[in-house]
Amino acid sequence: MADDSPAKPVFSRRDFVVRAGQAGIALSLFPPSLHALVPPLLSEHDAAESLSYGILSAPVPTDLYSGLRWRTIGPFRGGRVAAATGVPGRPNEFYFGAVNGGVWKTIDGGRVWTPIFDAQSTASIGAIAIAPSQPNTVYVGSGESTLRDSVGYGNGVYKSTDAGKTWTHLGLDETHHIGKIAIDPRNPDNIFVAAIGKLYAANKERGIFRSKDGGRSWQKVLGDDNVGAVEVVIDPSNSSVVYAGLWNTRRPPWFTYAPTNGLGGGIFKSSDGGTTWTRLSNGLPKDGIGRTGIAIAPSNPNRIYAVVDCLLPEAPPQVEPPLGAPVPQPAPAGARPSSPPPGQGGVFRSDDAGSTWTRLSNDPALWGRGWYFEKIAVDPKDADTVYVPNVAVNRTMDGGKTWVVLRGSPGGDDYHQAWINPDDTNTMIVASDQGAIITRNARDNPRSVTWTSWLNQPTAQIYHLSVDYRFPYWVTGAQQDSGAIAVRSRGKFAEISMHDWEPIAPGGESGYTAGDPSNPGVVYGGDGQRWNLDDNIPIENTTSPKSPEPARSDWTQPLVFSKADPRSLYYANQFLFKTTDGAKTWTQISPDLTRPETFIPPTLDATAAAATDRNGKRGVIYTIAPSPLRAPLLWIGTDDGYIQLTPDDGKTWQNVTPSAITPWSRITTMEASHFDAGTAYASVDRHQLQDFEPYIYRTRDMGRTWQKITTGLPKGVYVHTVKEDPRRRGLLVAGTERGVHLSFDDGDNWQSLQLNMPVTSMRDFEIYGNDLIVATHGRGFWIIDDISSLRQLSDAVRSGDAYLFKPSDAINFIEGTDNGTPLQKDEPQAENPPNGALIDYYLKRGATTPVTIEIVDASGAVVQTFSSDPAAQRPPAGRGGGAQAAGIPRVSPLWQTPPQPLATSAGMHRVAWNPLRQRPRGAPPPDEGGPLDTRYVGNFTARLTVNGKTYTQSFTVKPDPRRRT
């Protein structure tokens, strides 16, 4: 059974001896088939590095690793944006809110976007509004409103009064999802918030909230514990008139594509500033209204448009047949059934301020998938011009009689909110699944309308990642809404740019990708598709697994290689499958491993409890963890709350689920230990049961007992993944919905590894060589280059005044350049990792004398000196060497990077030695006709001197394996 109390530290010498004795007792309790799988506590797989540094005493001071940094590699293909706005009177200033990527701003019309919300505690954005009378005042509603099953949640409303430089949290923490914010055109303190509320249970903080004091206090004025709000607009001519769209929606924990439309939805109007409300119904659907969008024409405020989601079918007209008409005959057997009657949704118009409504169109292109779309905007100067974003951006210029597609690509882009500049109605920003885009000629012929790029926004939502083993390695993963992607970890040229990422076929928008460790450049995806990425072609004779019954699937299904047997690839739906011949054939190696019974959580309302999709109310296998030590040993976890293992590659299975894990506790990640075959870790997500707490469990006895290991993880934030460092025992990383955490003591204690990483959803990790890579669901891929210092941390590091970490062996890469005019700084780009050796050092307190690091070659000669005294650095830093010539420099300050002296403050610091010999003074670079770089390779020593003491560590620099002589 599981112990739900946090585990205590276990690595004292006394505990070691006790546990060694217990191992023999535990072995006697195991069935004979599992005896061979319980290894000694110190197995033959424990590499020297894994144990040589000892276990740190918790808590570990963060200044021991404060010099590490996350490095983004993109991609720069934008992720989903549901909220966007411009600023009246400032034609080049716009904002957008990514659904899990925070708030971004441009002051140059979309040429460059800058994140301005990264210091806040949530990144999921549902609404943005600018006060028309005070354009520096910005309100943000957190918690996305595009309610997919991978949705991020927020914690209320934020406000800036300095155009996004600083933010104040205004409360409404439990609203979770906000669809819209409306601000009085003449009073920036009079605001309304449309809060959808919690997605998996009833709660009080849902509905329409009003503040008359700029968000210092709130009053709920419409809605109840079940019925929330998704839309609110204020009449620009009379701020006492307010319209709102209510929506009662939930999701069950089993897979459904769409959330529900419960009772109580509709369009409401207040004529007294939100104190009392009347439901508008004349001409609108009587029942079944889901999400709605509302727009008031500023040039004629009696003209109201609404886009309405209502899936209830039209009632067919009851026409009395004429006398003597033949009796209708039933359709013959085998005839195709008639199409179901269309729903009652569509685009509606009122010309009397909402008293009566007329449906203009029921074309699904305008209102289909209403739970995801249902936004509408009207031209501020022309009441007949209306925009309805959906799969495409649709426009009418005759009040709704006819419609054209203004923007829409093959395959479907999916568009959300549109904002039209009141001063120049040709200027419009549109939020989309691929980012935010701006046009300056919105009223032109659709063939002539031009848009800014969405390829300059690093807000990709990635589910899982896999390395592709080409050199330097690539990072691959499925990007929600856009498709799978591969990005170089080191750019081919001087930076990581558009040249360094590629859309790839395997994986789709939500599946796994799996790089073939035996064939660099070959990546599997989805349920086993295999592609050669160099040539962008599928590899023939690849098949998908065949299930003995209809296959169930979640939005993302696992596909993983075994590290113990790199020929073995596993895929799962409700069954587990294996291939060892490159997906030519598959073998089913399990029965249905999910829960056989149906469980309805008591938090659901009747509509959500009855909702079903392709899986019925059954689960799937959600995670697979082949043991990296023993190929036949596999762990799986299901989305309905089972953990099962097989010791013999599927011949037998054992359910080892902790008793604390109840139905629909999603096992988000299983991780099999790299040091002990009996040890595994499970991260568990229960937010779909309205339990947002973090859960990670650990077993050291093949699942017989489990310990909950969450001490130090933030309360109220669920966990997506847990991974173990393959080189240092006890070093774990965990990704939650809002951050990155690490443990030095096998999960007994956790602490932040956020560093410079913006808050977002952390979905997956891979530790490849010395690099830690994370896939985020809102900010793309990030890497910490070289975590060797993390692996070396011990109590000995902090016991002395200073410490020099042993540098990893380095590769002297042949660095690319842009071969001429460099890529300009305002193009989307990310930094390459530093070339050469990364040298980390720790100072317990600030140095009182200059700090130096010397690089010494095998002969004892000093080839490079770094110093906190800039005058003592030798040779001068910089690729070209030499002093700057006198006079006006040839380049702007953007390209002038002054040498950085060594840090002398307390904490851990990093310096990179680029092992190039000094170039002749004034020599042009190789791409301008100068001599080729001369490179250092061989054995070197780093020598740190601080406060009169010297510390040394040796390392090796190896040549670039791509080098050809």
Side-chain angles (χ1 to χ4, degrees):
M1 63 182 293
D3 176 7
D4 271 346
S5 61
K8 295 180 173 59
V10 294
F11 279 103
S12 70
R13 290 182 180 273
R14 177 182 178 277
D15 285 339
F16 180 90
V17 174
V18 171
R19 181 160 287 112
Q22 289 173 336
I25 299 172
L27 190 61
S28 68
L29 300 177
F30 266 70
S33 63
L34 295 184
H35 281 192
L37 291 178
V38 182
L41 288 178
L42 297 181
S43 73
E44 67 275 17
H45 301 283
D46 292 330
E49 183 178 354
S50 70
L51 296 175
S52 61
Y53 295 104
I55 297 296
L56 279 134
S57 302
V60 176
T62 57
D63 68 346
L64 286 171
Y65 53 89
S66 57
L68 298 177
R69 287 291 178 268
W70 291 98
R71 174 176 63 90
T72 181
I73 62 169
F76 291 89
R77 181 172 65 179
R80 190 184 330 129
V81 171
T85 185
V87 182
R90 300 176 183 174
N92 293 316
E93 193 167 314
F94 299 86
Y95 298 83
F96 75 75
V99 296
N100 227 329
V103 179
W104 296 67
K105 179 181 179 179
T106 180
I107 57 173
D108 56 12
R111 172 67 177 163
V112 176
W113 291 95
T114 303
I116 59 172
F117 204 71
D118 286 358
Q120 308 313 309
S121 59
T122 183
S124 182
I125 308 300
I128 299 181
I130 307 294
S133 63
Q134 199 174 85
N136 280 346
T137 297
V138 187
Y139 289 92
V140 168
S142 66
E144 64 173 294
S145 66
T146 47
L147 303 180
R148 309 188 75 100
D149 66 343
S150 57
V151 66
Y153 70 101
N155 62 356
V157 179
Y158 291 78
K159 177 182 180 180
S160 174
T161 56
D162 52 15
K165 294 177 184 175
T166 60
W167 296 92
T168 301
H169 184 229
L170 301 180
L172 296 182
D173 296 48
E174 297 301 311
T175 51
H176 273 213
H177 302 281
I178 291 177
K180 193 73 175 293
I181 294 176
I183 307 173
D184 188 323
R186 284 164 287 279
N187 181 0
D189 289 337
N190 188 28
I191 59 177
F192 290 86
V193 170
I196 300 168
K198 293 183 177 180
L199 194 50
Y200 297 98
N203 74 309
K204 294 186 180 301
E205 285 197 2
R206 63 181 350 124
I208 297 293
F209 291 84
R210 178 181 65 190
S211 177
K212 296 182 177 181
D213 54 13
R216 288 189 293 274
S217 62
W218 297 96
Q219 178 188 11
K220 183 172 178 176
V221 295
L222 185 63
D224 58 35
D225 290 2
N226 287 297
V227 182
V230 69
E231 175 68 292
V232 62
V233 294
I234 299 174
D235 186 332
S237 66
N238 180 3
S239 58
S240 293
V241 176
V242 186
Y243 298 85
L246 296 193
W247 186 22
N248 178 351
T249 188
R250 296 283 195 287
R251 273 191 174 277
W254 51 86
F255 177 80
T256 60
Y257 180 65
T260 62
N261 289 343
L263 301 176
I267 295 177
F268 292 74
K269 178 180 179 180
S270 173
S271 299
D272 56 8
T275 302
T276 61
W277 296 82
T278 301
R279 178 170 179 166
L280 305 180
S281 59
N282 190 351
L284 295 171
K286 303 300 181 187
D287 299 297
I289 290 180
R291 183 170 187 152
T292 54
I294 306 168
I296 304 170
S299 60
N300 176 11
N302 284 328
R303 172 79 64 85
I304 317 292
Y305 293 92
V307 57
V308 177
D309 179 35
C310 181
L311 300 175
L312 296 182
E314 302 272 12
Q318 301 297 316
V319 180
E320 189 71 23
L323 189 65
V327 177
Q329 298 297 312
R336 176 178 296 180
S338 59
S339 299
Q344 297 178 46
V347 174
F348 295 77
R349 169 176 149 181
S350 173
D351 289 301
D352 52 15
S355 296
T356 61
W357 297 82
T358 301
R359 185 164 69 176
L360 302 175
S361 175
N362 69 343
D363 192 320
L366 299 174
W367 72 276
R369 275 200 294 162
W371 63 272
Y372 194 56
F373 298 112
E374 309 314 57
K375 299 279 190 179
I376 191 167
V378 59
D379 188 307
K381 297 180 179 180
D382 178 4
D384 285 334
T385 296
V386 183
Y387 300 87
V388 176
N390 198 280
V391 174
V393 179
N394 305 281
R395 184 187 70 189
T396 179
M397 301 184 80
D398 55 15
K401 297 183 180 69
T402 61
W403 296 84
V404 298
V405 173
L406 190 67
R407 180 180 172 98
S409 306
D413 302 327
D414 293 356
Y415 297 87
H416 303 285
Q417 187 174 23
W419 178 89
I420 305 162
N421 190 320
D423 303 317
D424 171 17
T425 59
N426 264 310
T427 295
M428 178 170 65
I429 183 171
V430 179
S432 83
D433 275 7
Q434 285 75 31
I437 49 173
I438 299 165
T439 179
R440 301 292 187 175
N441 57 339
R443 296 180 60 85
D444 283 8
N445 183 295
R447 292 183 180 273
S448 303
V449 175
T450 57
W451 302 84
T452 59
S453 177
W454 57 31
L455 299 177
N456 58 0
Q457 301 159 36
T459 52
Q461 292 183 278
I462 311 292
Y463 286 95
H464 297 276
L465 75 91
S466 175
V467 164
D468 166 26
Y469 298 89
R470 288 175 287 181
F471 183 87
Y473 69 88
W474 293 60
V475 183
T476 70
Q479 180 182 349
Q480 175 62 48
D481 300 316
S482 293
I485 198 158
V487 187
R488 285 186 174 97
S489 62
R490 178 184 292 269
K492 185 176 180 180
F493 301 100
E495 62 286 306
I496 296 173
S497 70
M498 285 284 291
H499 303 295
D500 298 303
W501 65 265
E502 300 174 355
I504 63 174
E509 67 173 316
S510 62
Y512 273 62
T513 57
D516 188 340
S518 303
N519 295 285
V522 172
V523 171
Y524 294 75
D527 57 359
Q529 293 77 37
R530 181 170 54 145
W531 282 68
N532 180 327
L533 298 191
D534 282 331
D535 298 327
N536 189 33
I537 58 175
I539 297 176
E540 296 181 357
N541 301 316
T542 302
T543 64
S544 298
K546 299 296 187 292
S547 300
E549 61 187 47
R552 302 194 294 271
S553 63
D554 210 324
W555 193 240
T556 178
Q557 290 300 127
L559 178 76
V560 298
F561 273 100
S562 167
K563 287 184 168 60
D565 177 9
R567 298 175 305 126
S568 296
L569 177 67
Y570 297 90
Y571 171 79
N573 40 53
Q574 67 266 43
F575 307 103
L576 185 64
F577 300 87
K578 176 183 179 180
T579 180
T580 57
D581 60 6
K584 294 184 178 68
T585 61
W586 292 86
T587 301
Q588 179 184 330
I589 63 170
S590 82
D592 186 333
L593 295 177
T594 66
R595 291 180 182 265
E597 75 280 2
T598 297
F599 173 76
I600 309 295
T603 53
L604 300 183
D605 62 7
T607 306
T612 58
D613 204 316
R614 60 194 183 212
N615 296 343
K617 297 176 183 178
R618 298 287 305 281
V620 298
I621 298 170
Y622 197 76
T623 175
I624 309 167
S627 169
L629 300 177
R630 302 187 179 179
L633 175 61
L634 301 162
W635 306 75
I636 67 92
T638 71
D639 68 345
D640 60 2
Y642 266 175
I643 296 175
Q644 308 222 37
L645 71 83
T646 175
D648 48 23
D649 218 21
K651 295 183 177 66
T652 60
W653 286 90
Q654 294 199 6
N655 188 329
V656 294
T657 308
S659 60
I661 295 182
T662 60
W664 298 115
S665 301
R666 176 175 290 181
I667 315 301
T668 49
T669 300
M670 290 298 306
E671 173 77 344
S673 174
H674 297 75
F675 305 98
D676 177 2
T679 295
Y681 310 87
S683 60
V684 182
D685 170 12
R686 288 171 47 86
H687 86 277
Q688 292 171 306
L689 299 171
Q690 203 48 49
D691 177 0
F692 284 67
E693 294 304 309
Y695 294 97
I696 301 177
Y697 293 89
R698 176 188 65 210
T699 180
R700 292 192 175 119
D701 54 13
M702 207 68 74
R704 185 174 63 87
T705 62
W706 295 83
Q707 301 82 44
K708 181 182 172 185
I709 50 170
T710 58
T711 298
L713 291 177
K715 301 295 184 183
V717 185
Y718 49 90
V719 182
H720 288 293
T721 184
V722 60
K723 293 292 177 73
E724 179 190 56
D725 180 24
R727 296 192 184 179
R728 174 170 180 161
R729 190 170 193 160
L731 181 58
L732 308 179
V733 288
T736 73
E737 178 60 17
R738 289 178 175 166
V740 184
H741 304 270
L742 83 164
S743 172
F744 293 97
D745 54 11
D746 207 33
D748 290 331
N749 295 276
W750 294 90
Q751 56 197 84
S752 176
L753 189 61
Q754 198 74 12
L755 302 170
N756 61 313
M757 168 77 76
V759 168
T760 187
S761 178
M762 311 298 172
R763 293 301 179 95
D764 197 11
F765 296 105
E766 184 154 341
I767 301 172
Y768 182 63
N770 294 319
D771 294 350
L772 173 60
I773 315 162
V774 63
T776 76
H777 203 65
R779 295 295 285 267
F781 298 114
W782 294 67
I783 300 173
I784 294 181
D785 300 300
D786 195 351
I787 60 169
S788 296
S789 55
L790 280 180
R791 290 167 169 164
Q792 297 173 42
L793 283 179
S794 68
D795 289 335
V797 175
R798 56 182 175 181
S799 64
D801 292 333
Y803 191 90
L804 178 64
F805 295 92
K806 181 177 176 57
S808 297
D809 289 349
I811 294 175
N812 196 339
F813 282 90
I814 301 173
E815 295 182 276
T817 72
D818 289 325
N819 301 326
T821 301
L823 185 73
Q824 297 303 291
K825 296 292 187 180
D826 55 355
E827 296 289 342
Q829 59 189 276
E831 292 181 355
N832 275 328
N835 187 38
L838 299 179
I839 301 167
D840 297 337
Y841 63 100
Y842 170 72
L843 303 179
K844 191 170 186 176
R845 57 186 61 87
T848 58
T849 61
V851 177
T852 62
I853 292 178
E854 297 168 299
I855 307 300
V856 183
D857 68 13
S859 71
V862 175
V863 297
Q864 177 83 52
T865 299
F866 300 95
S867 177
S868 58
D869 177 4
Q873 304 220 57
R874 185 178 67 82
R879 185 167 179 161
Q884 174 66 48
I888 299 174
R890 294 188 304 162
V891 298
S892 79
L894 277 176
W895 298 92
Q896 299 174 34
T897 305
Q900 295 297 316
L902 286 186
T904 60
S905 58
M908 177 260 186
H909 305 285
R910 168 170 285 183
V911 64
W913 175 48
N914 190 357
L916 299 178
R917 297 180 187 272
Q918 185 179 7
R919 298 176 60 77
R921 182 181 296 273
D927 57 359
E928 295 181 12
L932 296 177
D933 290 321
T934 305
R935 304 174 181 279
Y936 288 109
V937 294
N939 298 320
F940 296 86
T941 297
R943 186 163 63 204
L944 168 69
T945 302
V946 56
N947 293 336
K949 295 183 179 180
T950 299
Y951 310 80
T952 61
Q953 295 282 6
S954 61
F955 63 97
T956 300
V957 176
K958 301 176 182 178
D960 190 325
R962 300 168 299 174
R963 183 179 182 182
R964 296 173 181 170
T965 59

